[in-house]
Amino acid sequence: MTANIRVTVWNEFRHERQSQEVAKIYPEGIHGTIARALGNDGLTVRTATLDEPEHGLTDEVLNNTDVLIWWGHMAHAEVRDEIVDKVHKRVLDGMGLIVLHSGHFSKIFKRLLGTDCDLKWRESNDKERLWVVTPGHPITEGIGEYIELEHEEMYGEPFGIPTPDELVFVSWFTGGEIFRSGCCYTRGQGKIFYFRPGHETIPTYHNPEIQQVIRNAVHWAAPTATRKLIRGNTQPVNK
Amino acid sequence: MTANIRVTVWNEFRHERQSQEVAKIYPEGIHGTIARALGNDGLTVRTATLDEPEHGLTDEVLNNTDVLIWWGHMAHAEVRDEIVDKVHKRVLDGMGLIVLHSGHFSKIFKRLLGTDCDLKWRESNDKERLWVVTPGHPITEGIGEYIELEHEEMYGEPFGIPTPDELVFVSWFTGGEIFRSGCCYTRGQGKIFYFRPGHETIPTYHNPEIQQVIRNAVHWAAPTATRKLIRGNTQPVNK
Amino acid sequence: MTANIRVTVWNEFRHERQSQEVAKIYPEGIHGTIARALGNDGLTVRTATLDEPEHGLTDEVLNNTDVLIWWGHMAHAEVRDEIVDKVHKRVLDGMGLIVLHSGHFSKIFKRLLGTDCDLKWRESNDKERLWVVTPGHPITEGIGEYIELEHEEMYGEPFGIPTPDELVFVSWFTGGEIFRSGCCYTRGQGKIFYFRPGHETIPTYHNPEIQQVIRNAVHWAAPTATRKLIRGNTQPVNK
Amino acid sequence: MTANIRVTVWNEFRHERQSQEVAKIYPEGIHGTIARALGNDGLTVRTATLDEPEHGLTDEVLNNTDVLIWWGHMAHAEVRDEIVDKVHKRVLDGMGLIVLHSGHFSKIFKRLLGTDCDLKWRESNDKERLWVVTPGHPITEGIGEYIELEHEEMYGEPFGIPTPDELVFVSWFTGGEIFRSGCCYTRGQGKIFYFRPGHETIPTYHNPEIQQVIRNAVHWAAPTATRKLIRGNTQPVNK
């Protein structure tokens, strides 16, 4: 696996500051927990949050990010469109993007996929079991047949996404639902992975298998052969 | 929907003749039950079974079949290769193919998909719930959010198939598994639909929603714009 | 094929009013030429243009449109965002959309695909040959191995689109380029077809084969099994 | 990129021994030329040919091969089915496979894809230009906008393959044809890349860009997260 991947973990970082319950689970913020897990793997990791200037996503940060991880929920609307535009362009130019859980409703995810990204949900502590349906996929490295999460928020179909290029995980929930919970896309030169679990009131991002999947996804999404594209008015190549 | 679609329902037709339990559920054979359900819809339907000469799939029958439905289980190995070759060619030339349940292990399905088509299974009367994950797809016409089958054999992932062109249904099982249970493919000019439910000891094919899905799939798989292909050694089209 | 499909042909309709050269080729406007071709096929066809109130796309029109055809070029930026929002929602709810030629840069196409949709181009009267790469596809009905256009604007790769669900045509150009010129997508419950040819200074839409492809695409894109989706906070289906 | 990838280059190796013209171009055999090119990149490379015992593909060789490269043409029928079975199983278990040029008609390629893999062809020294249509794809690393081959055999559509998971190259030919010439598939846990150019009478495999693509494809196809699958009769995971 490639070393030297520069990762930026972006988090809305509101729940953790507004709710004691959430703060207890994620005292460093969700971004802090994820960043620590990735840092242990030798990746170069920084974090950025909504309430920093430019949401922490300055040109300097974006231009030096190979893979961006995104968690948001209650404040999607506060993410400024000009920042979304920049992230969008960076993904098309090759930056990897990992969208977590409630990030399905983020501006950047909806912009890149073009659909409503809507779904069913229920906060009732279903058990979730994420089955690997694409064994051999690099995102599943080190993971068994399934990941079991004793309690999670339920997400149910129909999930309003384009058919994934690769469907890596499908979730089973106690309440009777299923969900396409690990979805790969290529958009422009960038690779995108949506990964379902991670409700803020549940310690999902402390789970070593969940951390492993995110780590795998960082390696999978890191750009390899990006290039400047030639477009617009051109001369014939045939003389 | 197109009228005048000529359907052949092929059934191994062994369980029904060897087991009283199965015969009670399908006194006309599985093929008979499916054929009756489709005939009510104005389709032109005939049946064919393993123990007929040429397995009932003579050139005359195949050349006059727009959509072939396939159920087999205990005698896959007895299907002669030269018949499989003919069915394979017909599908590539445009004939639709609907493969049911244990037909996942049939020679023709494995030939067309190129993979092992293996899976997990359990005869323990799980409840199955088939969720529609591609709303708007013609195969889901008239079906609600999901189809619930009080008892069915369980099939579990990893299912050894290529990524479906379209994934229409995903099943939930009481025992904790999920399964990609409605899968669309195009191979050559032919359309293929794999539909999971239908264990021989369970009256699944008497279920009106299951019948509706099969009927929809017949209309979906019927050929439209088939043609004779020009291949081999050819002259330049540019003078 | 289904009758009673209600088609709206939308055209920017500026070139035809500003350039005598274009007006001579399309005296009724590009929309008029396409509408006449489709009307001959028994479809219910109306037209709408940019400079009508609400761009001719009132709620009443959109709610009674099964398939929307889109041609635009010089005035993409003038299409109001709230109209784009409505068209976007209608496509996700099942309305078919056929995007023609320079419509690759329209707001609605970029919104639905999520990428930049950029490409190479050259106005130099290359010969174009559109090869059928998916024989058997309903959009190719009645078309031979390829469509040859004596003169057309060239579009070249890399075309900034997601991998098409189905790639129906690939173009060859005299100048040495190729282009994915017939691309199918499903987004939400809606089907989308992008079809490359049709520069305003060339009588492409008078070509019977081009008209046939558009007609086929209308039938292909017409909605079949659309439904109201259940999303949001839901109770378990398992008791 | 991963080091320590074990590559086996398989060649039919008949043309080179039967034709002086071919032997002059490939004095070491096509396999020898490709092996030398890959060896320079630090990969562990061996070769195997049709007329060796077991076609050079003993269990020991196959079990120690991460990526198999396949060139064949005049003797596809002589490849023994039991060897094809073994290669097929190894691919489903994760071994990468790169099929070159006339290998489109090999037993192993047709077995894995399930279609007839037929096409048009012409030996008339067309110029070929392979356009990159998926910039950013690792197989295109170090390649410009296109690869130009002054002379090559022409292959034309319709190519009888399933829709590629990823379409990396599309070829333009002087004679007026186009061809999907770089096609990626995943089958089971194995990755497959079909790469069109390489007629035996033309020194294509001496071309550094062609060598680069094959080298990139080796890295792309090397297995990462393969596993032993649990299938068959299983107990519920839910207690």
Side-chain angles (χ1 to χ4, degrees):
Chain A
M1 283 190 170
T2 329
N4 278 345
I5 300 174
R6 301 162 301 170
V7 183
T8 300
V9 184
W10 191 90
N11 183 15
E12 188 181 276
F13 197 34
R14 289 278 176 84
H15 287 291
E16 299 93 325
R17 293 186 292 150
Q18 295 180 10
S19 152
Q20 285 209 326
E21 180 198 3
V22 178
K24 234 183 260 175
I25 300 170
Y26 295 113
E28 310 166 284
I30 285 174
H31 54 295
T33 299
I34 293 173
R36 179 179 302 268
L38 296 175
N40 291 340
D41 194 44
L43 301 164
T44 302
V45 184
R46 67 174 117 195
T47 64
T49 58
L50 178 65
D51 293 323
E52 297 174 55
E54 302 186 49
H55 310 324
L57 298 174
T58 61
D59 289 355
E60 197 276 334
V61 168
L62 282 175
N63 292 336
N64 291 285
T65 297
D66 296 311
V67 180
L68 178 64
I69 298 176
W70 195 276
W71 197 101
H73 181 216
M74 62 188 291
H76 292 314
E78 294 181 44
V79 178
R80 282 161 43 206
D81 287 337
E82 62 268 32
I83 304 294
V84 176
D85 290 347
K86 284 182 187 179
V87 174
H88 183 246
K89 189 175 177 325
R90 276 287 293 148
V91 172
L92 298 185
D93 287 349
M95 181 178 74
L97 178 69
I98 299 172
V99 175
L100 298 174
H101 190 61
S102 43
H104 73 89
F105 257 166
S106 63
K107 287 182 179 179
I108 184 61
F109 192 60
K110 292 196 290 185
R111 171 84 65 88
L112 280 159
L113 294 197
T115 51
D116 62 24
C117 300
D118 203 356
L119 46 75
K120 287 195 183 69
W121 57 272
R122 180 174 62 244
E123 292 186 74
S124 66
N125 287 335
D126 283 72
K127 174 182 292 190
E128 176 175 14
R129 190 176 293 112
L130 297 105
W131 286 92
V132 172
V133 296
T134 321
H137 196 285
I139 289 180
T140 68
E141 194 160 354
I143 302 299
E145 283 212 283
Y146 54 82
I147 300 172
E148 193 165 298
L149 300 172
E150 199 51 36
H151 297 295
E152 251 293 353
E153 184 182 18
M154 185 282 297
Y155 278 8
E157 298 277 346
F159 187 16
I161 50 170
T163 294
D165 296 341
E166 295 173 305
L167 177 62
V168 179
F169 293 103
V170 173
S171 285
W172 179 101
F173 291 97
T174 321
E177 292 88 358
I178 55 85
F179 194 75
R180 290 172 290 172
S181 52
C183 300
C184 295
Y185 296 93
T186 299
R187 288 298 181 265
Q189 303 185 62
K191 292 167 95 175
I192 303 166
F193 181 60
Y194 174 76
F195 192 44
R196 198 214 75 82
H199 195 53
E200 68 274 6
T201 61
I202 299 165
T204 294
Y205 297 117
H206 294 288
N207 180 308
E209 288 180 297
I210 297 296
Q211 293 178 354
Q212 179 68 43
V213 169
I214 296 173
R215 201 179 294 125
N216 291 342
V218 165
H219 286 277
W220 171 84
T224 50
T226 53
R227 58 177 69 194
K228 186 117 188 61
L229 303 181
I230 302 172
R231 256 91 164 257
N233 198 346
T234 56
Q235 293 304 307
V237 293
N238 256 21
K239 296 108 217 187
Chain B
M1 285 190 168
T2 326
N4 280 345
I5 301 174
R6 299 163 301 171
V7 183
T8 300
V9 184
W10 191 91
N11 183 16
E12 188 181 276
F13 196 35
R14 290 276 177 87
H15 287 291
E16 300 94 324
R17 293 187 292 151
Q18 296 180 9
S19 151
Q20 284 209 326
E21 179 197 3
V22 178
K24 235 184 258 176
I25 299 171
Y26 294 113
E28 310 166 285
I30 284 175
H31 54 297
T33 298
I34 293 173
R36 181 180 302 270
L38 295 175
N40 291 339
D41 195 42
L43 301 164
T44 302
V45 184
R46 67 174 118 195
T47 63
T49 60
L50 179 65
D51 292 324
E52 297 174 55
E54 302 185 50
H55 309 325
L57 298 174
T58 60
D59 289 355
E60 196 278 334
V61 167
L62 282 175
N63 291 336
N64 290 283
T65 296
D66 297 310
V67 179
L68 178 65
I69 298 177
W70 195 276
W71 197 100
H73 182 217
M74 62 190 287
H76 291 314
E78 294 182 43
V79 178
R80 283 160 43 205
D81 287 338
E82 62 267 33
I83 304 294
V84 176
D85 290 346
K86 284 183 187 179
V87 173
H88 183 247
K89 189 175 178 327
R90 275 286 296 146
V91 171
L92 298 185
D93 287 349
M95 183 179 72
L97 178 69
I98 300 172
V99 175
L100 297 174
H101 190 61
S102 42
H104 73 89
F105 256 167
S106 63
K107 289 184 179 178
I108 183 60
F109 192 60
K110 292 196 289 185
R111 171 85 64 88
L112 279 159
L113 294 197
T115 50
D116 63 23
C117 301
D118 203 355
L119 45 75
K120 287 195 183 69
W121 56 273
R122 180 173 62 244
E123 292 186 75
S124 68
N125 287 334
D126 282 73
K127 175 183 290 189
E128 175 176 14
R129 190 175 293 112
L130 296 106
W131 285 91
V132 172
V133 297
T134 322
H137 195 285
I139 289 180
T140 69
E141 194 160 353
I143 302 300
E145 283 212 284
Y146 55 81
I147 300 171
E148 193 165 299
L149 300 172
E150 199 52 35
H151 297 295
E152 252 292 355
E153 185 184 16
M154 185 283 296
Y155 277 9
E157 298 277 348
F159 187 16
I161 50 170
T163 294
D165 297 340
E166 295 172 305
L167 178 61
V168 178
F169 293 103
V170 173
S171 285
W172 178 103
F173 292 96
T174 320
E177 292 88 357
I178 54 86
F179 194 75
R180 290 171 290 172
S181 52
C183 300
C184 296
Y185 296 93
T186 298
R187 288 297 182 266
Q189 303 186 60
K191 294 168 93 174
I192 303 166
F193 181 60
Y194 174 76
F195 191 44
R196 196 213 77 82
H199 194 53
E200 68 274 4
T201 62
I202 299 165
T204 294
Y205 297 117
H206 294 288
N207 180 308
E209 289 181 298
I210 297 297
Q211 293 179 354
Q212 179 69 43
V213 169
I214 296 173
R215 202 178 292 126
N216 291 342
V218 165
H219 286 277
W220 171 83
T224 50
T226 52
R227 59 176 69 194
K228 185 115 190 61
L229 302 180
I230 302 172
R231 257 87 167 259
N233 198 344
T234 57
Q235 293 304 308
V237 294
N238 257 21
K239 296 108 218 188
Chain C
M1 284 189 167
T2 328
N4 280 343
I5 300 174
R6 299 163 302 171
V7 183
T8 300
V9 183
W10 191 91
N11 183 15
E12 188 181 277
F13 196 34
R14 288 277 176 86
H15 287 291
E16 299 94 324
R17 293 187 292 150
Q18 296 180 9
S19 151
Q20 285 209 324
E21 180 198 3
V22 178
K24 235 184 258 176
I25 299 170
Y26 294 113
E28 311 165 283
I30 284 174
H31 54 297
T33 298
I34 293 173
R36 180 181 301 268
L38 296 175
N40 291 339
D41 195 43
L43 300 164
T44 302
V45 184
R46 67 173 118 196
T47 64
T49 59
L50 179 65
D51 293 323
E52 296 174 56
E54 301 186 51
H55 310 325
L57 299 173
T58 60
D59 289 355
E60 197 276 335
V61 167
L62 282 175
N63 291 337
N64 290 284
T65 297
D66 297 310
V67 180
L68 178 65
I69 297 176
W70 194 276
W71 197 101
H73 182 217
M74 63 189 288
H76 291 315
E78 294 181 44
V79 178
R80 283 160 44 206
D81 287 338
E82 62 267 32
I83 304 294
V84 176
D85 290 346
K86 284 182 187 180
V87 174
H88 183 246
K89 191 178 176 323
R90 275 287 294 147
V91 171
L92 298 185
D93 287 349
M95 183 179 71
L97 178 69
I98 299 171
V99 175
L100 297 174
H101 190 62
S102 42
H104 73 88
F105 256 167
S106 63
K107 288 183 179 178
I108 183 60
F109 193 60
K110 292 197 289 185
R111 172 84 66 87
L112 279 160
L113 294 198
T115 50
D116 62 26
C117 300
D118 203 355
L119 45 75
K120 286 195 183 68
W121 57 272
R122 180 175 61 243
E123 292 187 74
S124 66
N125 287 335
D126 282 73
K127 176 183 290 189
E128 175 175 15
R129 191 175 293 111
L130 297 106
W131 286 92
V132 172
V133 297
T134 323
H137 196 284
I139 288 180
T140 69
E141 193 161 353
I143 302 300
E145 282 213 287
Y146 55 81
I147 300 172
E148 193 166 298
L149 300 172
E150 199 50 37
H151 297 295
E152 251 293 355
E153 185 183 17
M154 185 282 296
Y155 278 9
E157 298 278 347
F159 187 17
I161 51 170
T163 294
D165 296 341
E166 295 172 304
L167 178 62
V168 178
F169 294 103
V170 173
S171 286
W172 178 101
F173 291 96
T174 320
E177 292 89 358
I178 54 87
F179 194 74
R180 291 171 291 172
S181 52
C183 301
C184 297
Y185 296 94
T186 298
R187 289 297 181 268
Q189 303 186 61
K191 293 167 94 174
I192 302 167
F193 182 60
Y194 174 76
F195 191 44
R196 196 214 78 82
H199 194 53
E200 67 274 5
T201 61
I202 298 166
T204 295
Y205 296 119
H206 294 289
N207 179 307
E209 288 180 298
I210 297 297
Q211 292 178 355
Q212 179 69 42
V213 169
I214 296 174
R215 200 179 294 126
N216 291 342
V218 165
H219 286 277
W220 171 83
T224 50
T226 53
R227 57 176 70 196
K228 186 119 190 58
L229 303 180
I230 302 172
R231 256 86 167 260
N233 198 345
T234 57
Q235 293 303 307
V237 294
N238 257 21
K239 296 109 218 190
Chain D
M1 285 192 167
T2 327
N4 278 344
I5 300 173
R6 300 163 301 171
V7 183
T8 300
V9 184
W10 191 91
N11 183 15
E12 189 181 275
F13 196 35
R14 289 277 176 86
H15 288 290
E16 300 93 325
R17 294 186 292 151
Q18 297 180 8
S19 151
Q20 285 209 326
E21 180 197 3
V22 178
K24 235 184 260 177
I25 299 170
Y26 294 113
E28 310 166 285
I30 285 175
H31 55 294
T33 298
I34 293 173
R36 180 180 302 269
L38 295 175
N40 291 339
D41 195 42
L43 301 164
T44 302
V45 184
R46 69 172 115 194
T47 63
T49 58
L50 179 65
D51 293 323
E52 297 174 55
E54 301 186 50
H55 310 323
L57 299 173
T58 60
D59 289 354
E60 197 277 334
V61 168
L62 282 175
N63 292 336
N64 290 285
T65 296
D66 297 311
V67 180
L68 178 64
I69 298 177
W70 195 276
W71 197 101
H73 181 217
M74 62 190 290
H76 291 315
E78 294 181 44
V79 179
R80 282 160 45 206
D81 288 337
E82 63 267 33
I83 304 294
V84 176
D85 291 347
K86 284 182 187 179
V87 175
H88 183 247
K89 190 177 178 324
R90 275 287 295 147
V91 172
L92 298 185
D93 286 350
M95 181 179 72
L97 178 69
I98 299 172
V99 175
L100 297 174
H101 189 61
S102 42
H104 73 88
F105 256 165
S106 63
K107 287 183 180 179
I108 183 61
F109 193 59
K110 291 197 289 184
R111 170 85 65 89
L112 279 160
L113 295 198
T115 51
D116 62 24
C117 301
D118 202 355
L119 45 76
K120 286 195 184 68
W121 57 272
R122 181 175 60 244
E123 291 187 75
S124 65
N125 287 335
D126 282 72
K127 175 182 289 189
E128 175 175 14
R129 191 175 292 112
L130 297 105
W131 285 92
V132 172
V133 297
T134 322
H137 196 285
I139 289 180
T140 69
E141 194 160 354
I143 302 300
E145 280 212 285
Y146 55 83
I147 299 172
E148 193 165 297
L149 301 172
E150 200 51 37
H151 297 295
E152 251 292 354
E153 185 184 17
M154 185 282 298
Y155 277 8
E157 298 277 348
F159 188 17
I161 50 170
T163 293
D165 296 342
E166 295 172 306
L167 178 62
V168 179
F169 293 102
V170 173
S171 285
W172 178 102
F173 292 96
T174 320
E177 292 88 358
I178 54 87
F179 194 75
R180 290 171 290 172
S181 52
C183 301
C184 296
Y185 296 93
T186 299
R187 288 297 180 269
Q189 303 186 62
K191 293 167 95 174
I192 303 166
F193 181 59
Y194 174 77
F195 190 44
R196 197 213 77 82
H199 195 52
E200 66 274 6
T201 61
I202 299 166
T204 294
Y205 297 118
H206 294 289
N207 181 306
E209 288 181 297
I210 297 297
Q211 292 178 354
Q212 180 68 42
V213 169
I214 296 173
R215 201 179 292 124
N216 291 342
V218 164
H219 287 276
W220 171 83
T224 50
T226 52
R227 58 177 69 195
K228 187 117 188 59
L229 303 181
I230 302 172
R231 256 87 166 258
N233 198 345
T234 57
Q235 292 304 306
V237 294
N238 256 22
K239 296 107 217 190

